[in-house]
Amino acid sequence: MELTACGVVHLAKQIIFMKMTLNLSLDQVIRGGESVYRELRNKLEAKHMGHYVVIDVEAKKHFVNADRLAAIEEAREAQGPKMFYIVQVGDFHPSYL
């Protein structure tokens, strides 16, 4: 497969963008995600018990869906490639992606 000059530039821009968006450490994502979840917890548990919440710690935005993968896809489409804090509402056993 041959890569054109435009293709190389596009690829370089994507790599730079990904490096820019992955600037929080895992520890920062965990602490930030826990903090955001604590702020949203009562509201989420009242309306979305058992659903998944995906939190973009940097933007302080969250995405909720009954389907975990759908919630992750929504977050990635809206926020781009980055590490998210993920927890099932009502069950405080988070994961990180």
Side-chain angles (χ1 to χ4, degrees):
M1 180 175 164
E2 188 175 323
L3 207 53
T4 65
C6 288
V8 171
V9 170
H10 179 71
L11 184 60
K13 285 181 182 179
Q14 286 182 325
I15 292 169
I16 290 168
F17 177 74
M18 287 180 70
K19 284 184 179 181
M20 288 172 33
T21 58
L22 299 174
N23 58 359
L24 292 181
S25 70
L26 179 58
D27 188 58
Q28 290 171 311
V29 171
I30 293 168
R31 289 178 190 210
E34 288 172 350
S35 175
V36 171
Y37 183 76
R38 275 194 299 273
E39 292 172 18
L40 299 170
R41 187 176 189 166
N42 291 335
K43 180 180 169 184
L44 290 169
E45 288 181 356
K47 295 182 180 180
H48 303 288
M49 187 62 80
H51 291 193
Y52 293 90
V53 61
V54 178
I55 299 171
D56 177 347
V57 174
E58 289 178 289
K60 304 271 194 259
K61 291 187 177 185
H62 66 283
F63 304 85
V64 180
N65 198 301
D67 181 272
R68 183 179 185 198
L69 292 178
I72 293 167
E73 287 174 11
E74 289 173 27
R76 284 192 172 156
E77 285 176 17
Q79 302 303 109
K82 56 173 60 182
M83 197 178 323
F84 296 100
Y85 181 86
I86 306 164
V87 66
Q88 188 171 17
V89 177
D91 182 23
F92 204 69
H93 298 292
S95 58
Y96 321 99
L97 176 72

